[in-house]
Amino acid sequence: MSKLLTLGLLAIHCLTTHSQYKKMVVLGSSTAAGLGSFPLDSSWVNRCNHYYKYQSGIVDSTYNLGVSYSSCYNGMPSSFIPPVSRPAPDPANNVTKANTILSTLSTPSDGVVIVNYPTNGYDGYSIAEIMSSLQTIYDSAVRTGNKCYISTTQPRSDGNFATSAVKKKLADLKDSIINRFGISHSLDFWTGMFNPVDSTILTLYSAGDNVHFNNAGHRELFNRVVAKNVFGLASPPSAGDYRSVVTTGLWSDISTWQVFDGVSWGAATLAPTAGNGTITISAGDSIRINTATNFDQVVIESGAILAIFNTGGATTFTLNDGSGADIINNGKLYVSINATLSGAGTVQNNFGGTLILRNQGILAVNTTNNGTMNVSGTGNIQNATLTNNGVITLINFTLNLNNNASLINNDSISIAYNADAFIATTAGTGSFLNSTGAVIFKANATGIGWINASVSFTNNGTVKGFGQYNFLNTVANTGIVAPGNSPGILTVNPSFVTGQTPTFNLEINSAGDVAGVNYDQLQFSTVNFLTTNVTGATLNVTDLANDPVGTLYTVVSSPAGFITGPFAQVNLSPSLGNLLITANVVTLQKIAPLPLTWGDFTAVASNRQIILKWSTLQETNVDHFVIERSPDGQHFIPIGKTAAKGNSSMISNYEFTDPQPLANGSNYYRLQEVDLDGHANYSVIKYVHFADGGVSGVQIYPNPVQDILNIVVSLNNTRIDLRDLHGKKLRSLRFAQGTHQISLGGSPAGVYELVIYENERMLESRRIIKVK
């Protein structure tokens, strides 16, 4: 048989076999439908179809469900009942239809859903409801096992979108989408596509109508989809590519490797370096590199390990700058003792990957964490930027930001150590930005979280937790300070507040007058200064407790120093008043009974609906209740309203049915009680998790948890493994149907993973935070 015929048959075999296993569905509006491109084959979706079907041979078709004038509400699951004045789902072109198309795949993860609703309706919809809709679509897709990618907003400047406020809203939505879904699960269709002077579409990419992209713009969107590697494919090997072939091995041993010669894989004669092609650490393999090496284009597969360290002495490992990220980690990457990872290259830790920096290891390359990163012993960032879009846990001791290193937190940093922990430097200075929406959480009341004077700190997000922080070089603090997880006591130093404009969020959580037990308290230390000036701060105190009138609460205290004011703004529940700043405390009193005393509040799933029931023990001048729902426990939108009894000294019962909860994902509920005079307060939050349109088989709460974790099981033969963030199994528990409790009181504070199995088939994993 001729070589040409053989290659032809191979190509046909590739096309016919792969096309059975992978599919792509695009949901969206006019950009997905191809408007602005000419001919239509030039649209980004049709380019994807041609590339994946004919050039790569991995899909039978790209299914385009894009329809002009569609909005995110049209893409919602078919069972969704929209709020008044909002569009209904389009069953022919929504996520339910996408899931149906992909349901024929034998491997669900071979299905990809791309969601491209960039602007329609966004001039009138709130950011919260847009994000809730996109989250629902995303959850619906991934719950069936598919991969899902959410595109950002796109620049637009016609009609109502010509105002600066709406343009800013589109930009804010872009950031919200990337922050919510992470770099790994979002597609940035904004950056580099707009004119920064007026936020219009960049002329290079404009179709001329201030709404759509031209052929060049569509080509750029196509390039971004391909660059995202949405199918998670390993690139076809090229001559010079390496792969590991041993369960445990050294990088420098040639027996660790095979090399591709352009036709087949064979034994390597040299260890790989930057002069070779892609270097893959294969799933199941653990490779250690312990000699000075130049390398590039390393891919660590899920289930694989690359450990960079040398117990024999200080060693520099050089990461060169090739195309894209130069280490892509989907498994585990260790940078440890005596190791300096330096060079012009970059590290990308993907969602599902774990990056461990420990035992004085040095990261001297720009690094993006989209997954989990742990720092233990001491870890060093040196003359580089660490961008966190996932979870970083400071397990113990110190993270150094040396020689102008930067830490940018866009998601969550947890200080889990039960003694003093430091973000500091040993050489030069560093900077630390806690971005809007991001959280720094101190999990233990013991020990101090030090952000040293050599690290300039800017807080636009939330600082919360237990015990004490010392921010010794605060550039700006416009964010939130929230003690505990309610209730709790949190201490900060005076310079973190004086001259700054933070917001203090505190709750009076239960009946009683003990700080940290019944209500939140913010304390000031005397580190740096003796006096704390709160004239730039806003104080918010919410009352949820049925204490007698006259109960005194010390909500802010400086045990060894002084407090001067007044606050820039004070917002108290109507039942609170008599705020007083004395020498070293801020006190307030219960001045009236709560308009109502809450009784029970339950949220129960039934026939794909959620029934909320609550009671009040007494009511005084109560007008109505607003029922609110949230996909994340933070951003709530109203979904209904119920009239109150008004005045009653007896138990009053209420019920509300949410006919359309988020069909695949989390449903958080709270009740807003509104008085006749317009004052309002909130109930506790209740949680129900749905999966595949039905209630999730396992409900877990509270999260964060201090001691007792409640587990409600409706499945048969359920096993739950408790693991640490290294993947180490700590406990394996089996549950019958019903409600169970396990104690985590003896477990160290920190972040854990619960892996849920039914009949030995893994269903899902969930993270929980264990606090003191």
Side-chain angles (χ1 to χ4, degrees), residues 440-461:
I440 306 170
F441 180 77
K442 189 174 182 299
N444 284 288
T446 56
I448 298 173
W450 294 85
I451 290 76
N452 281 9
S454 55
V455 176
S456 59
F457 178 70
T458 300
N459 179 44
N460 298 324

Side-chain angles (χ1 to χ4, degrees), residues 278-534:
T278 300
I279 306 165
T280 299
I281 313 299
S282 304
D285 291 353
S286 178
I287 308 303
R288 174 186 168 194
I289 179 170
N290 64 348
T291 57
T293 306
N294 283 34
F295 55 97
D296 187 12
Q297 302 304 297
V298 178
V299 176
I300 306 168
E301 294 185 340
S302 178
I305 297 173
L306 175 61
I308 304 174
F309 67 96
N310 184 4
T311 56
T315 306
T316 298
F317 305 86
T318 304
L319 184 62
N320 285 16
D321 184 16
S323 60
D326 303 289
I327 294 180
I328 297 176
N329 179 40
N330 300 300
K332 289 185 179 179
L333 171 63
Y334 291 81
V335 180
S336 189
I337 186 169
N338 290 323
T340 298
L341 181 60
S342 66
T346 59
V347 174
Q348 179 175 304
N349 185 45
N350 283 339
F351 182 82
T354 302
L355 171 58
I356 300 101
L357 181 63
R358 65 182 186 181
N359 298 338
Q360 296 288 350
I362 299 173
L363 267 177
V365 294
N366 291 335
T367 300
T368 300
N369 174 46
N370 300 319
T372 298
M373 180 174 176
N374 298 330
V375 180
S376 60
T378 291
N380 301 280
I381 311 297
Q382 180 171 291
N383 194 27
T385 298
L386 169 59
T387 302
N388 178 45
N389 302 314
V391 176
I392 295 178
T393 302
L394 183 53
I395 294 174
N396 57 46
F397 206 49
T398 301
L399 174 62
N400 286 318
L401 305 175
N402 292 331
N403 298 328
N404 299 314
S406 298
L407 171 57
I408 301 172
N409 179 35
N410 297 320
D411 198 321
S412 176
I413 294 177
S414 174
I415 300 176
Y417 196 33
N418 57 8
D420 284 11
F422 300 83
I423 296 177
T425 65
T426 57
T429 60
S431 64
F432 179 4
L433 169 64
N434 192 41
S435 301
T436 302
V439 175
I440 306 170
F441 180 77
K442 189 174 182 299
N444 284 288
T446 56
I448 298 173
W450 294 85
I451 290 76
N452 281 9
S454 55
V455 176
S456 59
F457 178 70
T458 300
N459 179 44
N460 298 324
T462 299
V463 171
K464 66 184 305 184
F466 305 87
Q468 181 173 340
Y469 289 100
N470 287 327
F471 302 94
L472 302 185
N473 182 6
T474 302
V475 175
N477 179 13
T478 62
I480 295 169
V481 182
N485 266 313
S486 294
I489 298 175
L490 183 66
T491 301
V492 297
N493 56 302
S495 62
F496 187 56
V497 173
T498 300
Q500 305 294 342
T501 58
T503 297
F504 305 149
N505 286 346
L506 296 91
E507 288 184 359
I508 298 170
N509 193 261
S510 61
D513 59 359
V514 181
V517 175
N518 306 115
Y519 66 92
D520 292 332
Q521 185 181 79
L522 179 64
Q523 292 188 357
F524 299 127
S525 67
T526 56
V527 175
N528 288 137
F529 300 99
L530 189 63
T531 298
T532 304
N533 188 322
V534 298

